[in-house]
Amino acid sequence: MKLPPILFTLAFSILGTACAQTSEVQSDIKKDPKKMKDSEWKAILSEQQYEVLRKKGTERAFSGEYWDSKEDGIYKCGACGVALFDSKTKFKSGTGWPSFYDKIADHVEREMDESLGMLRTELLCQNCGGHLGHVFDDGPSPTGLRYCINSASLDFEKRK
Ligand SMILES: [Zn+2]
């Protein structure tokens, strides 16, 4: 049986549409966190996290979630989730901010910071560029360093 041309065209266009739908590939490539726009960060971070991580703010001393925490685990970047500090290197600094004498990976980057009329070494997450805090050379042994970090820049994961 020969189909009338109009039916043939109809059948073809329905099939054509179905094919187009099934072959449509969803683009699901994870975005490079360093290329994320301000508005995108704003959408996924809390107001305070955004202020500290993206605008280099500093939370008030003794106000953050982790300054006095003694739990055993890993502190990760609050923006992108890479591991930054181990609770084993956390120490009581009396400053009111979580303080560590060492970092656990090369995910912590240093940059000179001349803001507020002081010369300080700023710490950034190497993976996403988020502001973490500053490092000073008055820490305990074995490194003599004090990584002074905002709780708002961190996410804590208990050790299993
Ligand atoms: Zn990060």
Side-chain angles (χ1 to χ4, degrees), residues 33 41 53-54 77-82 84 107 125-130 132:
W41 283 118
L53 282 156
R54 307 313 308 175
C77 174
C80 72
V82 295
L84 300 174
H107 292 142
C125 170
Q126 189 219 42
N127 190 47
C128 72
L132 305 173

Side-chain angles (χ1 to χ4, degrees), residues 43-55:
I44 58 167
L45 298 175
S46 75
E47 207 175 307
Q48 201 193 15
Q49 283 180 315
Y50 177 78
E51 247 336 280
V52 174
L53 282 156
R54 307 313 308 175
K55 296 289 162 196

